[in-house]
Amino acid sequence: MSDLWSQVKKLFGQAEQSSRQQPVTHTLIERSPEDQIFKETYLQSLKHFRFKDWIKDQYQLSRNKGEGLDDGIDFLNTRSSKGFVLHLWDGKFARKESQAIFDHFKDQVLSLGYRSYLSDSKSYSQGQWTEELERHYLKPPMRREEVERDLMDQHFGNINIELLFRNTKPWQLKLSATTYSDRSY
């Protein structure tokens, strides 16, 4: 029994010492058939259609000097990185809904010919809360003729989609495209 107790104490110690770089758990994302059914149902819902319209409206506002932008979204616009961050802490989205949106963004990028490089999940301690970070990392397609020429079209660059939970509640969803400036692109 004391051996079990020491293992439990060790596990809690590891959790307290964890970070994004050294998570307590690190696994590949695998959705169940029930998750897939939920996603398909959610994507046909009125709530999802309203959400898509809201994102389109917010994007148009951001192009108009950002006047009237909702606090629930920020747009990223640097020389090498473009994208947006959705702030989900207001509780408008349940865990399954945010995961459906997250996975839908991945599906949309895959439909552009991108390839999935990694889909993983990490859990770690972050001060007063526990964070779980789900991530889809996608790369542009590699065409044989581009590889042979040693010059590749990076399309929008590498795409990183991150869904952050704090204490199991959806907190933030980020989609960013990062381009590179070197001799290969």
Short mmCIF file of all heavy atoms in Angstrom, two decimals, residues 87-152:
data_model
loop_
_atom_site.label_atom_id
_atom_site.label_comp_id
_atom_site.label_asym_id
_atom_site.label_seq_id
_atom_site.Cartn_x
_atom_site.Cartn_y
_atom_site.Cartn_z
N HIS A 87 -11.35 33.66 -28.58
CA HIS A 87 -11.36 33.57 -27.12
C HIS A 87 -12.66 32.89 -26.69
O HIS A 87 -13.74 33.43 -26.91
CB HIS A 87 -11.22 34.96 -26.50
CG HIS A 87 -10.02 35.69 -27.03
ND1 HIS A 87 -8.73 35.31 -26.70
CD2 HIS A 87 -9.90 36.73 -27.88
CE1 HIS A 87 -7.87 36.11 -27.32
NE2 HIS A 87 -8.56 36.98 -28.04
N LEU A 88 -12.53 31.73 -26.11
CA LEU A 88 -13.70 30.90 -25.81
C LEU A 88 -14.07 30.89 -24.33
O LEU A 88 -14.93 30.13 -23.93
CB LEU A 88 -13.43 29.45 -26.28
CG LEU A 88 -12.99 29.28 -27.72
CD1 LEU A 88 -12.62 27.83 -27.99
CD2 LEU A 88 -14.08 29.75 -28.68
N TRP A 89 -13.41 31.70 -23.53
CA TRP A 89 -13.60 31.62 -22.07
C TRP A 89 -14.98 32.08 -21.61
O TRP A 89 -15.34 31.89 -20.46
CB TRP A 89 -12.52 32.39 -21.33
CG TRP A 89 -12.41 33.84 -21.72
CD1 TRP A 89 -13.29 34.84 -21.43
CD2 TRP A 89 -11.37 34.43 -22.47
NE1 TRP A 89 -12.86 36.03 -21.94
CE2 TRP A 89 -11.67 35.81 -22.59
CE3 TRP A 89 -10.20 33.96 -23.05
CZ2 TRP A 89 -10.85 36.70 -23.27
CZ3 TRP A 89 -9.39 34.85 -23.72
CH2 TRP A 89 -9.73 36.19 -23.83
N ASP A 90 -15.76 32.65 -22.49
CA ASP A 90 -17.08 33.14 -22.08
C ASP A 90 -18.11 32.02 -21.94
O ASP A 90 -19.25 32.28 -21.55
CB ASP A 90 -17.58 34.20 -23.06
CG ASP A 90 -17.70 33.69 -24.48
OD1 ASP A 90 -17.55 32.47 -24.71
OD2 ASP A 90 -17.93 34.51 -25.39
N GLY A 91 -17.75 30.79 -22.27
CA GLY A 91 -18.65 29.66 -22.07
C GLY A 91 -19.68 29.45 -23.17
O GLY A 91 -20.58 28.64 -23.01
N LYS A 92 -19.54 30.15 -24.29
CA LYS A 92 -20.51 29.99 -25.38
C LYS A 92 -20.37 28.65 -26.10
O LYS A 92 -21.28 28.21 -26.79
CB LYS A 92 -20.38 31.12 -26.39
CG LYS A 92 -20.85 32.45 -25.85
CD LYS A 92 -20.72 33.54 -26.88
CE LYS A 92 -21.14 34.87 -26.28
NZ LYS A 92 -20.80 36.00 -27.12
N PHE A 93 -19.20 28.02 -25.96
CA PHE A 93 -18.96 26.75 -26.63
C PHE A 93 -18.62 25.68 -25.61
O PHE A 93 -17.75 25.86 -24.75
CB PHE A 93 -17.81 26.86 -27.63
CG PHE A 93 -18.15 27.72 -28.81
CD1 PHE A 93 -17.78 29.06 -28.83
CD2 PHE A 93 -18.84 27.21 -29.89
CE1 PHE A 93 -18.10 29.87 -29.90
CE2 PHE A 93 -19.17 28.01 -30.96
CZ PHE A 93 -18.80 29.33 -30.98
N ALA A 94 -19.29 24.54 -25.74
CA ALA A 94 -18.97 23.37 -24.92
C ALA A 94 -17.70 22.71 -25.47
O ALA A 94 -17.27 23.02 -26.59
CB ALA A 94 -20.13 22.39 -24.94
N ARG A 95 -17.12 21.84 -24.70
CA ARG A 95 -15.89 21.15 -25.10
C ARG A 95 -16.06 20.45 -26.45
O ARG A 95 -15.24 20.61 -27.34
CB ARG A 95 -15.49 20.15 -24.02
CG ARG A 95 -14.19 19.42 -24.32
CD ARG A 95 -13.83 18.44 -23.20
NE ARG A 95 -12.57 17.81 -23.49
CZ ARG A 95 -11.40 18.22 -23.04
NH1 ARG A 95 -11.32 19.27 -22.25
NH2 ARG A 95 -10.28 17.59 -23.36
N LYS A 96 -17.12 19.68 -26.61
CA LYS A 96 -17.34 18.93 -27.86
C LYS A 96 -17.53 19.87 -29.05
O LYS A 96 -17.06 19.60 -30.15
CB LYS A 96 -18.55 18.01 -27.74
CG LYS A 96 -18.36 16.86 -26.78
CD LYS A 96 -17.77 15.70 -27.50
CE LYS A 96 -17.78 14.48 -26.61
NZ LYS A 96 -16.86 13.49 -27.10
N GLU A 97 -18.22 20.99 -28.84
CA GLU A 97 -18.41 21.96 -29.92
C GLU A 97 -17.09 22.58 -30.33
O GLU A 97 -16.81 22.71 -31.53
CB GLU A 97 -19.38 23.06 -29.48
CG GLU A 97 -20.80 22.59 -29.31
CD GLU A 97 -21.69 23.64 -28.68
OE1 GLU A 97 -21.18 24.51 -27.93
OE2 GLU A 97 -22.90 23.60 -28.95
N SER A 98 -16.27 22.97 -29.37
CA SER A 98 -14.99 23.57 -29.71
C SER A 98 -14.08 22.56 -30.42
O SER A 98 -13.35 22.92 -31.34
CB SER A 98 -14.31 24.16 -28.46
OG SER A 98 -14.04 23.17 -27.51
N GLN A 99 -14.15 21.29 -30.01
CA GLN A 99 -13.36 20.26 -30.70
C GLN A 99 -13.89 20.04 -32.12
O GLN A 99 -13.10 19.81 -33.04
CB GLN A 99 -13.38 18.95 -29.92
CG GLN A 99 -12.51 19.00 -28.68
CD GLN A 99 -12.62 17.75 -27.82
OE1 GLN A 99 -13.70 17.19 -27.65
NE2 GLN A 99 -11.49 17.33 -27.29
N ALA A 100 -15.20 20.12 -32.31
CA ALA A 100 -15.77 19.97 -33.65
C ALA A 100 -15.29 21.10 -34.57
O ALA A 100 -14.91 20.86 -35.72
CB ALA A 100 -17.30 19.96 -33.57
N ILE A 101 -15.28 22.33 -34.06
CA ILE A 101 -14.78 23.47 -34.84
C ILE A 101 -13.30 23.29 -35.15
O ILE A 101 -12.86 23.48 -36.29
CB ILE A 101 -15.03 24.79 -34.08
CG1 ILE A 101 -16.53 25.06 -33.94
CG2 ILE A 101 -14.33 25.96 -34.77
CD1 ILE A 101 -16.87 26.14 -32.93
N PHE A 102 -12.54 22.93 -34.15
CA PHE A 102 -11.10 22.69 -34.28
C PHE A 102 -10.82 21.64 -35.36
O PHE A 102 -9.99 21.87 -36.26
CB PHE A 102 -10.60 22.24 -32.90
CG PHE A 102 -9.22 21.68 -32.81
CD1 PHE A 102 -8.11 22.50 -32.95
CD2 PHE A 102 -9.03 20.34 -32.54
CE1 PHE A 102 -6.83 21.98 -32.82
CE2 PHE A 102 -7.76 19.81 -32.41
CZ PHE A 102 -6.65 20.63 -32.55
N ASP A 103 -11.51 20.51 -35.30
CA ASP A 103 -11.31 19.45 -36.29
C ASP A 103 -11.82 19.88 -37.67
O ASP A 103 -11.25 19.50 -38.70
CB ASP A 103 -12.00 18.16 -35.85
CG ASP A 103 -11.30 17.50 -34.66
OD1 ASP A 103 -10.12 17.82 -34.39
OD2 ASP A 103 -11.95 16.67 -33.99
N HIS A 104 -12.89 20.68 -37.70
CA HIS A 104 -13.41 21.18 -38.98
C HIS A 104 -12.38 22.09 -39.65
O HIS A 104 -12.20 22.02 -40.88
CB HIS A 104 -14.73 21.92 -38.75
CG HIS A 104 -15.32 22.50 -39.98
ND1 HIS A 104 -15.71 21.74 -41.07
CD2 HIS A 104 -15.56 23.79 -40.32
CE1 HIS A 104 -16.19 22.54 -42.01
NE2 HIS A 104 -16.11 23.79 -41.58
N PHE A 105 -11.72 22.94 -38.89
CA PHE A 105 -10.67 23.78 -39.47
C PHE A 105 -9.59 22.90 -40.11
O PHE A 105 -9.11 23.19 -41.21
CB PHE A 105 -10.05 24.70 -38.43
CG PHE A 105 -10.89 25.88 -38.03
CD1 PHE A 105 -10.73 26.46 -36.78
CD2 PHE A 105 -11.83 26.42 -38.87
CE1 PHE A 105 -11.49 27.55 -36.40
CE2 PHE A 105 -12.61 27.51 -38.50
CZ PHE A 105 -12.43 28.07 -37.26
N LYS A 106 -9.22 21.83 -39.44
CA LYS A 106 -8.22 20.91 -40.00
C LYS A 106 -8.74 20.32 -41.31
O LYS A 106 -8.02 20.29 -42.31
CB LYS A 106 -7.91 19.78 -39.02
CG LYS A 106 -6.96 18.74 -39.60
CD LYS A 106 -6.78 17.55 -38.69
CE LYS A 106 -5.90 16.50 -39.34
NZ LYS A 106 -5.84 15.26 -38.58
N ASP A 107 -9.99 19.87 -41.32
CA ASP A 107 -10.57 19.29 -42.54
C ASP A 107 -10.55 20.29 -43.69
O ASP A 107 -10.28 19.93 -44.83
CB ASP A 107 -12.01 18.82 -42.28
CG ASP A 107 -12.09 17.67 -41.30
OD1 ASP A 107 -11.07 16.98 -41.06
OD2 ASP A 107 -13.20 17.45 -40.75
N GLN A 108 -10.85 21.55 -43.39
CA GLN A 108 -10.86 22.59 -44.42
C GLN A 108 -9.46 22.79 -45.00
O GLN A 108 -9.30 22.97 -46.20
CB GLN A 108 -11.41 23.90 -43.86
CG GLN A 108 -12.87 23.85 -43.47
CD GLN A 108 -13.75 23.57 -44.67
OE1 GLN A 108 -14.23 22.47 -44.84
NE2 GLN A 108 -13.97 24.54 -45.49
N VAL A 109 -8.44 22.78 -44.14
CA VAL A 109 -7.06 22.95 -44.62
C VAL A 109 -6.65 21.73 -45.44
O VAL A 109 -6.01 21.86 -46.48
CB VAL A 109 -6.09 23.19 -43.44
CG1 VAL A 109 -4.65 23.22 -43.91
CG2 VAL A 109 -6.43 24.50 -42.73
N LEU A 110 -7.03 20.53 -45.01
CA LEU A 110 -6.73 19.31 -45.78
C LEU A 110 -7.37 19.37 -47.16
O LEU A 110 -6.79 18.89 -48.14
CB LEU A 110 -7.21 18.07 -45.03
CG LEU A 110 -6.42 17.68 -43.78
CD1 LEU A 110 -7.11 16.54 -43.04
CD2 LEU A 110 -4.98 17.30 -44.13
N SER A 111 -8.55 19.98 -47.27
CA SER A 111 -9.23 20.08 -48.57
C SER A 111 -8.47 20.98 -49.54
O SER A 111 -8.72 20.94 -50.75
CB SER A 111 -10.67 20.57 -48.39
OG SER A 111 -10.70 21.95 -48.09
N LEU A 112 -7.52 21.76 -49.04
CA LEU A 112 -6.69 22.61 -49.89
C LEU A 112 -5.44 21.87 -50.40
O LEU A 112 -4.58 22.47 -51.02
CB LEU A 112 -6.24 23.86 -49.12
CG LEU A 112 -7.35 24.78 -48.64
CD1 LEU A 112 -6.79 25.88 -47.74
CD2 LEU A 112 -8.11 25.37 -49.81
N GLY A 113 -5.35 20.59 -50.08
CA GLY A 113 -4.21 19.79 -50.52
C GLY A 113 -3.11 19.67 -49.49
O GLY A 113 -2.09 19.04 -49.74
N TYR A 114 -3.31 20.27 -48.32
CA TYR A 114 -2.31 20.17 -47.26
C TYR A 114 -2.25 18.74 -46.74
O TYR A 114 -3.17 17.94 -46.95
CB TYR A 114 -2.66 21.11 -46.11
CG TYR A 114 -2.06 22.49 -46.28
CD1 TYR A 114 -2.54 23.35 -47.26
CD2 TYR A 114 -1.02 22.92 -45.47
CE1 TYR A 114 -2.00 24.61 -47.43
CE2 TYR A 114 -0.48 24.18 -45.62
CZ TYR A 114 -0.97 25.01 -46.61
OH TYR A 114 -0.42 26.26 -46.77
N ARG A 115 -1.16 18.42 -46.06
CA ARG A 115 -1.01 17.10 -45.44
C ARG A 115 -0.88 17.27 -43.94
O ARG A 115 -0.27 18.23 -43.46
CB ARG A 115 0.17 16.35 -46.03
CG ARG A 115 1.48 17.09 -45.95
CD ARG A 115 2.56 16.48 -46.85
NE ARG A 115 3.66 17.40 -46.97
CZ ARG A 115 4.73 17.41 -46.17
NH1 ARG A 115 4.84 16.51 -45.22
NH2 ARG A 115 5.68 18.30 -46.32
N SER A 116 -1.47 16.34 -43.23
CA SER A 116 -1.41 16.38 -41.78
C SER A 116 -0.04 15.89 -41.34
O SER A 116 0.40 14.81 -41.73
CB SER A 116 -2.50 15.48 -41.19
OG SER A 116 -2.46 15.54 -39.78
N TYR A 117 0.65 16.70 -40.57
CA TYR A 117 1.98 16.34 -40.10
C TYR A 117 1.92 15.77 -38.68
O TYR A 117 2.59 14.82 -38.36
CB TYR A 117 2.88 17.58 -40.15
CG TYR A 117 4.32 17.30 -39.82
CD1 TYR A 117 5.15 16.67 -40.74
CD2 TYR A 117 4.86 17.66 -38.59
CE1 TYR A 117 6.46 16.41 -40.45
CE2 TYR A 117 6.18 17.40 -38.30
CZ TYR A 117 6.98 16.78 -39.22
OH TYR A 117 8.28 16.52 -38.93
N LEU A 118 1.07 16.38 -37.83
CA LEU A 118 0.96 15.94 -36.45
C LEU A 118 -0.35 16.43 -35.85
O LEU A 118 -0.75 17.56 -36.09
CB LEU A 118 2.13 16.51 -35.62
CG LEU A 118 2.18 16.16 -34.14
CD1 LEU A 118 2.46 14.68 -33.94
CD2 LEU A 118 3.26 16.98 -33.44
N SER A 119 -1.01 15.57 -35.11
CA SER A 119 -2.18 15.95 -34.31
C SER A 119 -1.97 15.36 -32.93
O SER A 119 -1.99 14.14 -32.77
CB SER A 119 -3.48 15.41 -34.92
OG SER A 119 -3.80 16.10 -36.10
N ASP A 120 -1.70 16.23 -31.97
CA ASP A 120 -1.37 15.73 -30.64
C ASP A 120 -2.06 16.54 -29.54
O ASP A 120 -2.65 17.58 -29.80
CB ASP A 120 0.14 15.69 -30.41
CG ASP A 120 0.79 17.07 -30.42
OD1 ASP A 120 0.15 18.06 -30.82
OD2 ASP A 120 1.97 17.17 -30.02
N SER A 121 -1.97 16.01 -28.33
CA SER A 121 -2.57 16.64 -27.16
C SER A 121 -1.58 16.57 -26.01
O SER A 121 -0.95 15.53 -25.80
CB SER A 121 -3.86 15.91 -26.79
OG SER A 121 -4.42 16.44 -25.62
N LYS A 122 -1.45 17.69 -25.28
CA LYS A 122 -0.55 17.76 -24.12
C LYS A 122 -1.34 18.29 -22.94
O LYS A 122 -2.17 19.18 -23.09
CB LYS A 122 0.60 18.73 -24.38
CG LYS A 122 1.50 18.37 -25.51
CD LYS A 122 2.55 19.45 -25.69
CE LYS A 122 3.47 19.14 -26.85
NZ LYS A 122 4.52 20.16 -27.01
N SER A 123 -1.03 17.76 -21.75
CA SER A 123 -1.61 18.26 -20.50
C SER A 123 -0.48 18.66 -19.57
O SER A 123 0.53 17.94 -19.46
CB SER A 123 -2.47 17.19 -19.82
OG SER A 123 -3.55 16.85 -20.62
N TYR A 124 -0.66 19.79 -18.89
CA TYR A 124 0.39 20.30 -18.01
C TYR A 124 -0.22 21.29 -17.02
O TYR A 124 -1.32 21.78 -17.21
CB TYR A 124 1.51 20.96 -18.81
CG TYR A 124 1.00 21.94 -19.83
CD1 TYR A 124 0.82 23.28 -19.51
CD2 TYR A 124 0.67 21.53 -21.12
CE1 TYR A 124 0.32 24.17 -20.43
CE2 TYR A 124 0.18 22.42 -22.05
CZ TYR A 124 0.01 23.74 -21.70
OH TYR A 124 -0.49 24.64 -22.61
N SER A 125 0.53 21.56 -15.99
CA SER A 125 0.11 22.51 -14.97
C SER A 125 0.56 23.91 -15.38
O SER A 125 1.65 24.10 -15.90
CB SER A 125 0.75 22.13 -13.63
OG SER A 125 0.41 23.08 -12.65
N GLN A 126 -0.31 24.88 -15.16
CA GLN A 126 0.01 26.27 -15.48
C GLN A 126 -0.50 27.16 -14.36
O GLN A 126 -1.59 27.70 -14.44
CB GLN A 126 -0.62 26.65 -16.83
CG GLN A 126 -0.20 27.97 -17.38
CD GLN A 126 1.25 27.99 -17.82
OE1 GLN A 126 1.85 26.97 -18.11
NE2 GLN A 126 1.83 29.16 -17.85
N GLY A 127 0.27 27.26 -13.30
CA GLY A 127 -0.15 28.08 -12.18
C GLY A 127 -1.35 27.50 -11.47
O GLY A 127 -1.35 26.34 -11.07
N GLN A 128 -2.44 28.29 -11.39
CA GLN A 128 -3.62 27.85 -10.64
C GLN A 128 -4.54 26.94 -11.45
O GLN A 128 -5.57 26.52 -10.95
CB GLN A 128 -4.41 29.04 -10.10
CG GLN A 128 -5.11 29.85 -11.16
CD GLN A 128 -4.39 31.13 -11.52
OE1 GLN A 128 -3.18 31.25 -11.34
NE2 GLN A 128 -5.12 32.09 -12.05
N TRP A 129 -4.23 26.63 -12.70
CA TRP A 129 -5.09 25.75 -13.48
C TRP A 129 -4.27 24.70 -14.22
O TRP A 129 -3.07 24.80 -14.37
CB TRP A 129 -5.96 26.53 -14.46
CG TRP A 129 -5.21 27.53 -15.29
CD1 TRP A 129 -4.33 27.27 -16.30
CD2 TRP A 129 -5.25 28.95 -15.16
NE1 TRP A 129 -3.83 28.42 -16.83
CE2 TRP A 129 -4.39 29.48 -16.14
CE3 TRP A 129 -5.94 29.82 -14.34
CZ2 TRP A 129 -4.20 30.84 -16.31
CZ3 TRP A 129 -5.75 31.17 -14.51
CH2 TRP A 129 -4.89 31.66 -15.48
N THR A 130 -5.00 23.73 -14.73
CA THR A 130 -4.41 22.71 -15.58
C THR A 130 -4.78 23.05 -17.01
O THR A 130 -5.93 23.40 -17.30
CB THR A 130 -4.98 21.31 -15.23
OG1 THR A 130 -4.69 21.05 -13.87
CG2 THR A 130 -4.39 20.24 -16.10
N GLU A 131 -3.81 23.01 -17.89
CA GLU A 131 -4.06 23.28 -19.30
C GLU A 131 -3.93 22.00 -20.11
O GLU A 131 -3.09 21.15 -19.83
CB GLU A 131 -3.09 24.33 -19.85
CG GLU A 131 -3.37 25.71 -19.33
CD GLU A 131 -2.57 26.80 -20.03
OE1 GLU A 131 -1.60 26.50 -20.77
OE2 GLU A 131 -2.91 27.96 -19.82
N GLU A 132 -4.78 21.91 -21.11
CA GLU A 132 -4.69 20.84 -22.10
C GLU A 132 -4.66 21.53 -23.46
O GLU A 132 -5.51 22.37 -23.76
CB GLU A 132 -5.90 19.92 -22.00
CG GLU A 132 -5.89 18.79 -23.00
CD GLU A 132 -7.14 17.95 -22.95
OE1 GLU A 132 -7.93 18.07 -21.98
OE2 GLU A 132 -7.36 17.19 -23.90
N LEU A 133 -3.66 21.19 -24.25
CA LEU A 133 -3.49 21.81 -25.56
C LEU A 133 -3.60 20.74 -26.64
O LEU A 133 -2.81 19.81 -26.67
CB LEU A 133 -2.13 22.50 -25.66
CG LEU A 133 -1.82 23.18 -26.99
CD1 LEU A 133 -2.71 24.41 -27.17
CD2 LEU A 133 -0.36 23.58 -27.07
N GLU A 134 -4.62 20.89 -27.48
CA GLU A 134 -4.75 20.02 -28.65
C GLU A 134 -4.23 20.80 -29.85
O GLU A 134 -4.49 22.01 -29.97
CB GLU A 134 -6.21 19.62 -28.88
CG GLU A 134 -6.76 18.72 -27.80
CD GLU A 134 -8.14 18.17 -28.12
OE1 GLU A 134 -8.73 18.54 -29.16
OE2 GLU A 134 -8.62 17.36 -27.32
N ARG A 135 -3.50 20.11 -30.72
CA ARG A 135 -2.86 20.81 -31.83
C ARG A 135 -2.92 19.96 -33.10
O ARG A 135 -2.67 18.76 -33.08
CB ARG A 135 -1.41 21.08 -31.48
CG ARG A 135 -0.60 21.70 -32.58
CD ARG A 135 0.81 21.93 -32.15
NE ARG A 135 1.44 20.67 -31.78
CZ ARG A 135 2.74 20.44 -31.82
NH1 ARG A 135 3.56 21.40 -32.15
NH2 ARG A 135 3.23 19.28 -31.48
N HIS A 136 -3.26 20.63 -34.21
CA HIS A 136 -3.13 20.05 -35.56
C HIS A 136 -2.05 20.88 -36.25
O HIS A 136 -2.15 22.11 -36.32
CB HIS A 136 -4.42 20.17 -36.36
CG HIS A 136 -5.56 19.36 -35.85
ND1 HIS A 136 -5.48 18.02 -35.54
CD2 HIS A 136 -6.85 19.72 -35.62
CE1 HIS A 136 -6.66 17.58 -35.14
NE2 HIS A 136 -7.51 18.60 -35.17
N TYR A 137 -1.04 20.20 -36.76
CA TYR A 137 0.03 20.87 -37.49
C TYR A 137 0.02 20.31 -38.91
O TYR A 137 0.14 19.10 -39.11
CB TYR A 137 1.37 20.61 -36.80
CG TYR A 137 2.52 21.39 -37.35
CD1 TYR A 137 2.53 22.78 -37.31
CD2 TYR A 137 3.62 20.75 -37.92
CE1 TYR A 137 3.59 23.51 -37.81
CE2 TYR A 137 4.68 21.46 -38.42
CZ TYR A 137 4.66 22.84 -38.37
OH TYR A 137 5.72 23.56 -38.87
N LEU A 138 -0.16 21.20 -39.89
CA LEU A 138 -0.30 20.77 -41.28
C LEU A 138 0.74 21.46 -42.15
O LEU A 138 1.09 22.62 -41.91
CB LEU A 138 -1.71 21.11 -41.79
CG LEU A 138 -2.82 20.45 -40.98
CD1 LEU A 138 -3.53 21.47 -40.13
CD2 LEU A 138 -3.79 19.75 -41.89
N LYS A 139 1.20 20.73 -43.16
CA LYS A 139 2.22 21.25 -44.07
C LYS A 139 1.67 21.28 -45.49
O LYS A 139 0.80 20.48 -45.84
CB LYS A 139 3.47 20.39 -44.00
CG LYS A 139 4.19 20.52 -42.68
CD LYS A 139 5.51 19.79 -42.72
CE LYS A 139 6.31 20.12 -41.50
NZ LYS A 139 7.54 20.77 -41.80
N PRO A 140 2.22 22.18 -46.30
CA PRO A 140 1.76 22.25 -47.70
C PRO A 140 2.10 20.95 -48.43
O PRO A 140 2.99 20.22 -48.04
CB PRO A 140 2.55 23.42 -48.29
CG PRO A 140 3.37 24.00 -47.21
CD PRO A 140 3.25 23.14 -46.01
N PRO A 141 1.37 20.71 -49.53
CA PRO A 141 1.68 19.50 -50.31
C PRO A 141 3.07 19.59 -50.91
O PRO A 141 3.56 20.68 -51.19
CB PRO A 141 0.60 19.50 -51.40
CG PRO A 141 0.13 20.90 -51.49
CD PRO A 141 0.33 21.51 -50.14
N MET A 142 3.68 18.44 -51.07
CA MET A 142 5.00 18.39 -51.74
C MET A 142 4.79 17.75 -53.10
O MET A 142 4.40 16.60 -53.20
CB MET A 142 5.99 17.56 -50.91
CG MET A 142 6.39 18.23 -49.63
SD MET A 142 7.53 17.25 -48.64
CE MET A 142 8.88 17.01 -49.76
N ARG A 143 5.04 18.52 -54.13
CA ARG A 143 4.91 18.00 -55.49
C ARG A 143 6.27 17.53 -55.97
O ARG A 143 7.29 18.19 -55.73
CB ARG A 143 4.34 19.08 -56.40
CG ARG A 143 2.91 19.45 -56.01
CD ARG A 143 2.29 20.39 -57.02
NE ARG A 143 0.94 20.70 -56.66
CZ ARG A 143 0.60 21.70 -55.84
NH1 ARG A 143 1.51 22.47 -55.31
NH2 ARG A 143 -0.67 21.92 -55.56
N ARG A 144 6.27 16.41 -56.65
CA ARG A 144 7.52 15.79 -57.09
C ARG A 144 8.38 16.78 -57.89
O ARG A 144 9.58 16.89 -57.67
CB ARG A 144 7.20 14.56 -57.92
CG ARG A 144 8.41 13.86 -58.42
CD ARG A 144 8.02 12.67 -59.27
NE ARG A 144 9.00 11.65 -59.03
CZ ARG A 144 8.79 10.38 -59.09
NH1 ARG A 144 7.59 9.94 -59.38
NH2 ARG A 144 9.75 9.53 -58.87
N GLU A 145 7.75 17.51 -58.84
CA GLU A 145 8.52 18.43 -59.68
C GLU A 145 9.15 19.56 -58.85
O GLU A 145 10.22 20.05 -59.16
CB GLU A 145 7.67 18.99 -60.83
CG GLU A 145 6.46 19.79 -60.41
CD GLU A 145 5.21 18.96 -60.15
OE1 GLU A 145 5.26 17.71 -60.20
OE2 GLU A 145 4.16 19.57 -59.87
N GLU A 146 8.46 19.97 -57.76
CA GLU A 146 9.02 21.01 -56.89
C GLU A 146 10.22 20.48 -56.12
O GLU A 146 11.23 21.18 -55.97
CB GLU A 146 7.96 21.52 -55.91
CG GLU A 146 6.85 22.28 -56.58
CD GLU A 146 5.73 22.63 -55.62
OE1 GLU A 146 5.61 22.01 -54.56
OE2 GLU A 146 4.98 23.55 -55.96
N VAL A 147 10.13 19.25 -55.65
CA VAL A 147 11.24 18.65 -54.91
C VAL A 147 12.43 18.48 -55.84
O VAL A 147 13.57 18.77 -55.47
CB VAL A 147 10.82 17.29 -54.29
CG1 VAL A 147 12.01 16.59 -53.68
CG2 VAL A 147 9.71 17.49 -53.27
N GLU A 148 12.18 18.05 -57.08
CA GLU A 148 13.27 17.87 -58.04
C GLU A 148 13.92 19.20 -58.41
O GLU A 148 15.12 19.25 -58.64
CB GLU A 148 12.74 17.16 -59.30
CG GLU A 148 12.39 15.71 -59.05
CD GLU A 148 11.65 15.06 -60.22
OE1 GLU A 148 11.35 15.75 -61.23
OE2 GLU A 148 11.36 13.85 -60.11
N ARG A 149 13.13 20.27 -58.47
CA ARG A 149 13.68 21.60 -58.77
C ARG A 149 14.32 22.23 -57.56
O ARG A 149 14.98 23.25 -57.65
CB ARG A 149 12.57 22.54 -59.23
CG ARG A 149 12.20 22.43 -60.65
CD ARG A 149 11.33 23.61 -61.03
NE ARG A 149 10.44 23.98 -59.94
CZ ARG A 149 9.15 24.23 -60.06
NH1 ARG A 149 8.59 24.19 -61.23
NH2 ARG A 149 8.41 24.55 -59.03
N ASP A 150 14.06 21.66 -56.39
CA ASP A 150 14.58 22.19 -55.13
C ASP A 150 13.93 23.53 -54.76
O ASP A 150 14.51 24.33 -54.05
CB ASP A 150 16.10 22.34 -55.20
CG ASP A 150 16.77 21.90 -53.92
OD1 ASP A 150 16.12 21.19 -53.13
OD2 ASP A 150 17.94 22.25 -53.70
N LEU A 151 12.73 23.78 -55.31
CA LEU A 151 11.99 25.00 -54.99
C LEU A 151 10.52 24.60 -54.81
O LEU A 151 9.92 24.04 -55.70
CB LEU A 151 12.13 26.02 -56.12
CG LEU A 151 11.55 27.39 -55.86
CD1 LEU A 151 12.27 28.08 -54.71
CD2 LEU A 151 11.66 28.25 -57.10
N MET A 152 9.96 24.89 -53.65
CA MET A 152 8.61 24.42 -53.34
C MET A 152 7.65 25.59 -53.11
O MET A 152 8.04 26.62 -52.58
CB MET A 152 8.65 23.53 -52.10
CG MET A 152 9.51 22.32 -52.34
SD MET A 152 9.60 21.05 -51.09
CE MET A 152 9.30 21.79 -49.57
#
